[in-house]
Amino acid sequence: MSADHARDLVHEGYDVAYVQEKWLPVWDEIAPFKSGRPDDPRPKKYVLDMFPYPSGDLHMGHAEAYALGDVIARYWVQRGFNVMHPMGWDAFGLPAENAAIKRNIDPTIWTYENIAVQKASMRRYACSFDWDRTFNTCDPEFYRWNQWLFLQLFERGLAYRKASKVNWCPSCQTVLANEQVIAGLCERCDTPVTKKKLTQWYFKITDYADRLLEDMSQLEGKWPDKVLTMQRNWIGRSTGANVLFQIEGRSEPVTIYTTRPDTLYGATFFVVAADSDLAAELAKGTPAEAKFNEYVEATKAASDIDRMATDRPKTGVFLERYAINPVNGEKLPIWVSDYVLADYGTGAIMAVPAHDQRDLEFARAMDLPVRVVVDTGEEDPNITGIATSGDGALINSGSLNGKSKGDAIAFINAQLEKDGLGKAARNYRLRDWLISRQRYWGTPIPIIHCPSCGEVATPLEELPVTLPPAAGLDLKPKGTSPLGAATDWVNVPCPKCGQPAKRDTDTMDTFVDSSWYFLRFPSSTDHAQAFSREATDTWLPVDQYVGGVTHAILHLLYSRFFTKVLFDMGKLSFTEPFTRLLNQGMVVMEGSAMSKSRGNLVRLSDELEKHGVDAIRLSMVFSGPPEDDVDWADVSPSGSVKFLNRAWRLSGDVSSAPRVDFTKGERSLRIATHKALHDASFAVESFRFNVAIARVMELVNATRKAIDSGCGPADPAVREATEAIAIMLSLVAPFTAEEMWERLGHKPSVALAGWPSIDESLLVAEAVVAVIQINGKIKERIEVSPLISDADLEAVALANPVVAQALLGATVIKIITRAPKIVNIVINNA
RNA sequence: GCCCUCGUAGCCCAAUGGCAGAGGCAGAGGACUUAAAAUCCUCCAAGUGUGGGUUCGACCCCCACCGAGGGCACCA
């Protein structure tokens, strides 16, 4: 470093690159964030960031998320907690596999290389992770327990195989999860997704629908409302009744589900989902069969995109058969249509066109009768074309006449149950979770298919069923799992009868991995079990979870489901895995997502190079509330650099010795320091990190002023303030804070300095300004003691000359006093 | 169409129902400097999307509307 350069640094601030390199090895040595010491007496806290896919180096989104999680973890360390803040990799899955195919290398090598890159970047980004607990979901040692879990569910009937229509991308030649279908298109190649009937593995999450819904009361106020609402929508519970309808010429009745059993007398026709088995059966042998087949073909050709158009005209075919309305014996014509879904309810409905908009549209298209049975006071749907759904007295409804909607539902449900014609029922939008994937890079499903024994669990002692080497397998998607070609791997004797059998060749959805990974961190070195009861009871549930809202439904719902299953198995003592949840926003550029095609991609490595780690972390955290998007066009990393230098310079100005008696310091700066500490603590605990930083900025300004034109650099209060600044800054700008701490004469690490205790007596000001209002308008400000009583404050206010003047000739109606802040005098001016 | 969240200086954002401004960005002026950069100081601006209501008092609570973002969407 030249002499000129060194002199410049004295003015400009510290050498960011040098300081970053200086502290990393020191921190490696001190390891301030280890949580595994058995004799650690500190109370425990589990702070968890959602783990990443290793699909490349870290990007701006990671930088934001991990900066936020770090503030929380580092804060609780400073507050004296034994914080476990672990990190690992969600390393299986399509992104990794596709990248590996594109580059023609083994996904194993590609994945572990990326993990190494990301891990090194996290270290340089000064993430406070406890690296002793790390693991990757593609480690056989991890997915072994994935397979164990699968078998636990299989034993309990919660994992099962069924044939069903699944999302299929004809271009990628693979099934897609629901979340990979965006507006009817494949998320990767934008090809319209079709349906294909395949036999696949499912987890029976629907068994837990009610508990997933009801246990949300534990999360109220601790998770974002938005996420809870989204989960409620997704589960989609509705209440109504199942009702049996006899079908002419069929011995068995058909069950329908309705949310409006009160409108049974208003049913004028019956509709069966076109793609259901029931429709095919009912159509068979009727004169309408040919037309029916034609219709089903046409429906199949229509893609999901067409189906999703809400204003699409209703279509259907009359089967020339009839259902019998159980309440009045009326013959209802049976139609098939694609507006009834085969996989919701029973795939068949009673149509009440007067009180259901979709039924009304169908009735009008097919010229079917409309009968009003609830007098809601609205106009006749026959005329308006708008179905009525409000409450009112029932009409045209036999014994229900005159009753309200609610009474009628209760009455008819009881009636149906008594007559064996139906009963109250619930339905859910939530479907069982399809976990099979016809891809290579995932956890092999530990089932062996035997011609005579059927589906046989792989014996536990044979786990893990490891993936066969990728070399020699064609990983390109072709509709069946690449594992099928690994003949040596596939062909095994049946564990039950010893006859030749075959392994299941599908792999599991990677959401299985992430549904319980948080249970593994406390037991990550335990090779005898997925997680130990002792470690889990010590650390879980997760006190604070941090991640993007993109996982609002799937990952979080699945994790809640697994937790409940494991609770039922007696493996866990809690039913909700994440006590508190913070959703961070995204990092965007000029209002829209950053993308290569738009050319507005901001590279994290460039930003770090330009401004340094601390300034980027600070910019992320200071930009606004954490759940808001960070618009990189709106933030000023160079402003952050300026502020950090400003704070750093204070540490060079302090001229008192370490461990000086702070109580002898200048009082007004001490008040500012303790108020900043108090306010920053409160702000951090309520996730208002931007506000916490604003408080630190204020304190930096106050300290600067004290040094330059106040008590001077030797006053103990200046040291107290600067040390408090270093400690508060350590949450977000660890390099700057450590450098300050050293210049203040302390040994590293500032991360373990401990949050200064707050002197409450300094938080109570000696005098405060009270406001005197007349009719809500401010008339005067007076200085009073913060301890003044209501009566005294009122007396002082009335004695004030300005106030007395204003009150001349007016009648005082009322005086509201809130000591020591405000007096409001309500007058009636003539 | 239904549900959720949000509208405060030019911009990002603060304000337990009690003085609308904490902090930052941008801008203006000044000090220092031969000059510039850096630094330090000072200043600037909105009456809270619109219209009602509750209240002694509303950015805050309630209703309606406008606008932005997000979620769900033929779920019987």
Side-chain angles (χ1 to χ4, degrees), chain A residues 493-539:
Chain A
C494 168
K496 265 192 189 160
C497 69
Q499 294 302 300
K502 283 181 189 299
R503 291 193 193 281
D504 200 296
T505 57
D506 285 350
T507 51
M508 293 184 213
D509 182 2
T510 58
F511 277 102
V512 176
D513 317 355
S514 54
S515 294
W516 70 279
Y517 79 107
F518 49 90
L519 298 174
R520 182 69 184 162
F521 283 118
S523 308
S524 61
T525 55
D526 191 332
H527 302 301
Q529 52 193 330
F531 50 89
S532 87
R533 184 63 189 253
E534 194 196 345
T536 318
D537 282 350
T538 300
W539 288 103

Side-chain angles (χ1 to χ4, degrees), chain A residues 352-354 356-365 370 381-382 385-387:
Chain A
V352 184
D356 182 287
Q357 190 59 33
R358 296 151 303 179
D359 294 346
L360 181 60
E361 282 161 20
F362 192 84
R364 285 163 86 94
V370 177
N382 273 303
I386 298 164

Side-chain angles (χ1 to χ4, degrees), chain A residues 792-826:
Chain A
D792 288 350
L793 179 59
E794 190 177 314
V796 173
L798 288 170
N800 183 280
V802 176
V803 175
Q805 178 67 32
L807 290 179
L808 279 180
T811 315
V812 175
I813 296 168
K814 191 172 177 181
I815 303 177
I816 296 105
T817 308
R818 295 285 178 273
K821 295 174 99 173
I822 201 161
V823 180
N824 188 12
I825 304 165
V826 185

Side-chain angles (χ1 to χ4, degrees), chain A residues 49-71 85 87-90 114-115 117-119 121-122 125-127 129 546-548 550-551 584-588 594 602-605 608 613 616-617 620-621 630 632:
Chain A
D49 294 292
M50 289 183 186
F51 66 167
Y53 277 107
S55 52
D57 201 352
L58 299 182
H59 53 65
M60 296 295 280
H62 294 118
E64 190 205 359
Y66 299 141
L68 294 170
D70 230 43
V71 172
H85 187 209
M87 181 45 66
W89 276 270
D90 193 11
N114 277 335
I115 288 170
V117 167
Q118 289 197 347
K119 185 172 176 181
S121 294
M122 287 171 178
Y125 199 61
C127 294
F129 298 138
V546 181
T550 39
H551 297 104
Q584 90 275 0
M586 295 186 306
V587 183
V588 300
M594 288 195 263
V602 180
R603 284 180 43 169
L604 176 61
S605 55
L608 292 174
V613 168
I616 297 309
R617 290 172 55 124
M620 292 290 185
V621 174
V630 177
W632 205 245

Side-chain angles (χ1 to χ4, degrees), chain A residues 610-650:
Chain A
K610 263 188 273 178
H611 308 288
V613 168
D614 282 357
I616 297 309
R617 290 172 55 124
L618 176 66
S619 300
M620 292 290 185
V621 174
F622 184 56
S623 73
E627 51 283 331
D628 287 6
D629 287 349
V630 177
D631 195 328
W632 205 245
D634 291 335
V635 306
S636 171
S638 57
S640 298
V641 171
K642 268 163 72 176
F643 164 70
L644 291 171
N645 277 316
R646 204 169 139 78
W648 172 83
R649 276 194 302 273
L650 296 177

